[in-house]
């Protein structure tokens, strides 16, 4: 019995052990990887995927999936950039972008609940439609001329005591998600919905409302990531966010969250995000082609999912 408990603990800590081993191996191979500047850059880059992955975790815990996050990011960011370029105050435009992202996520949730569509199909539809609307709005061209606003710059490029603002946001929102999912009634409803929806409904949980809420949260996180990217790039690109849903899903899977819903921890997603970031960063430093990077990430995801099925 004690042996089985030890095995279970090792399996639960598998992602963290993998992260530590990955950092050690790449650090030994490449001294450039071990620099403080590189670690700060790595954390800054991981904040984009991290925020999206936190929202994705909530969705997957309910037994769903959100393929639309990249398109939500693109559309909300494009609208924000367009409003700023047309003279709207930066703060108001950014706040409106967050509202738009939340609304776009909510539409996916409504299609899943009221429309009774499978989450994969519902979010595949919204992913395609939102990407098309982004292209229509931008006419396939980037939106720049955003001025020299301090508010916009500080979101993606600012530092607080030498710590990048995106990293601070990443950590604060991680703590917020941990509190919500583990300490609140809403968090318990999320787990109950993914674990056994019928039993949760009989226990008084409003399944539809819970699912719509997590998709709205996912949309808000995608929009926030888009604002960080907009600040860093200084412009909105038509293909912004393309493929971001894959890294987010990979991070959630690597972190040990069951793709069937009902089981997983947000700290696992945090570790999964760092694994993806370390892989990308380390392979870039080692000069590995992006094509091979995709193969490596695919294999890592496969191992994580197979490990989850075994557990």
């Amino acid at each position: 019995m004690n042996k089985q408990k030890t095995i279970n603990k090792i399996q639960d800590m598998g992602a963290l052990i993998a992260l530590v081993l990955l950092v050690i191996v790449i650090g030994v191979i490449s001294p450039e990887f071990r620099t403080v500047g590189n670690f700060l850059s790595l954390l800054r880059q991981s904040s984009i995927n991290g925020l999206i992955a936190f929202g994705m975790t909530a969705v997957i815990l309910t037994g769903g999936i959100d393929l639309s996050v990249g398109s939500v990011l693109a559309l909300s960011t494009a609208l924000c950039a367009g409003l700023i370029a047309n003279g709207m105050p930066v703060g108001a435009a950014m706040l409106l972008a967050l509202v738009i992202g939340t609304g776009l996520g909510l539409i996916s949730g409504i299609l899943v609940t009221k429309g009774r569509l499978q989450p994969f199909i519902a979010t595949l539809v919204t992913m395609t439609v939102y990407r098309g609307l982004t292209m229509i709005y931008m006419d396939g061209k980037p939106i720049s001329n955003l001025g020299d606003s301090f508010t916009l710059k500080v979101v993606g490029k600012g530092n607080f005591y030498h710590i990048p603002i995106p990293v601070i946001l990443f950590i604060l929102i991680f703590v917020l998600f941990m509190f919500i999912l583990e300490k609140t009634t809403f968090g318990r409803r999320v787990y109950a919905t993914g674990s056994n929806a019928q039993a949760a409904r009989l226990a008084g949980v409003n399944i539809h409302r819970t699912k719509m809420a997590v998709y709205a949260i996912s949309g808000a996180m995608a929009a926030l990531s888009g604002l960080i990217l907009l600040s860093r790039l200084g412009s909105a690109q038509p293909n912004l966010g393309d493929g971001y849903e894959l890294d987010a899903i990979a991070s959630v899977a690597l972190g040990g969250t069951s793709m069937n819903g009902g089981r997983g921890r947000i700290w696992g997603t945090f570790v999964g995000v760092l694994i993806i970031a370390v892989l990308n960063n380390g392979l870039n430093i080692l000069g590995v082609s992006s094509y091979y990077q995709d193969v490596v990430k695919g294999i890592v995801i496969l191992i994580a999912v197979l490990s989850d099925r075994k557990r």
Side-chain angles (χ1 to χ4, degrees):
M1 190 69 176
N2 289 334
K3 183 180 178 181
Q4 186 59 46
K5 285 183 178 180
T6 303
I7 293 172
N8 290 339
K9 285 183 179 180
I10 292 173
Q11 288 178 333
D12 289 340
M13 299 295 288
L16 184 58
I17 294 170
L19 175 61
V20 171
L21 291 176
L22 196 59
V23 169
I24 292 172
V25 170
I26 298 177
V28 169
I29 296 173
S30 173
E32 184 182 347
F33 177 80
R34 303 195 298 263
T35 63
V36 174
N38 183 61
F39 278 120
L40 286 176
S41 175
L42 185 152
L43 287 172
R44 188 194 293 269
Q45 293 167 8
S46 66
S47 65
I48 305 295
N49 180 40
L51 297 177
I52 298 173
F54 293 155
M56 186 71 74
T57 302
V59 171
I60 290 176
L61 282 173
T62 63
I65 198 165
D66 190 355
L67 301 179
S68 70
V69 286
S71 298
V72 170
L73 183 154
L75 183 53
S76 58
T77 303
L79 292 171
C80 180
L83 292 170
I84 294 172
N86 285 310
M88 177 177 280
V90 172
M94 294 175 75
L95 182 61
L96 185 57
L98 290 175
V99 174
I100 290 170
T102 304
L104 294 174
L106 181 60
I107 290 172
S108 294
I110 291 172
L111 290 176
V112 170
T113 54
K114 305 298 184 181
R116 299 184 182 278
L117 295 178
Q118 290 292 329
F120 181 89
I121 300 300
T123 56
L124 181 63
V125 169
T126 52
M127 176 184 75
T128 307
V129 171
Y130 296 163
R131 182 63 64 179
L133 290 174
T134 302
M135 291 296 182
I136 292 170
Y137 180 74
M138 302 181 74
D139 195 24
K141 303 172 185 176
I143 299 175
S144 50
N145 302 320
L146 303 183
D148 195 33
S149 167
F150 172 78
T151 303
L152 182 61
K153 282 186 175 181
V154 76
V155 172
K157 297 180 180 178
N159 293 283
F160 183 76
Y161 288 99
H162 305 293
I163 301 175
I165 296 298
V167 175
I168 295 173
L169 285 172
F170 177 39
I171 294 171
L172 288 177
I173 291 176
F174 162 66
V175 173
L176 178 62
F177 265 82
M178 181 176 285
F179 173 77
I180 290 173
L181 290 175
E182 296 186 6
K183 302 295 183 181
T184 67
T185 301
F186 175 73
R188 289 191 288 273
R189 289 172 179 168
V190 168
Y191 279 97
T193 299
S195 181
N196 189 323
Q198 184 62 29
R201 185 182 290 109
L202 293 174
V205 175
N206 189 321
I207 302 298
H208 285 185
R209 188 180 299 172
T210 302
K211 288 185 177 181
M212 286 190 287
V214 295
Y215 280 98
I217 290 169
S218 181
M221 290 298 100
L224 180 56
S225 295
L227 294 179
I228 294 173
L229 278 173
L230 181 64
S231 173
R232 286 177 56 186
L233 299 173
S235 64
Q237 305 293 328
N239 62 345
L240 199 65
D242 191 22
Y244 280 28
E245 62 279 352
L246 301 181
D247 275 355
I249 294 169
S251 300
V252 177
L254 286 171
T257 295
S258 173
M259 301 306 290
N260 294 319
R263 182 173 59 79
R265 302 286 293 276
I266 197 69
W267 73 264
T269 297
F270 184 87
V271 173
V273 167
L274 295 180
I275 290 176
I276 294 293
V278 169
L279 271 175
N280 288 335
N281 183 267
L283 293 174
N284 281 331
I285 289 175
L286 296 174
V288 177
S289 166
S290 60
Y291 305 132
Y292 289 103
Q293 291 182 31
D294 290 339
V295 172
V296 171
K297 284 194 290 187
I299 293 172
V300 169
I301 295 166
L302 176 62
I303 292 171
V305 173
L306 290 176
S307 175
D308 173 67
R309 290 180 65 86
K310 186 178 180 181
R311 286 200 299 270

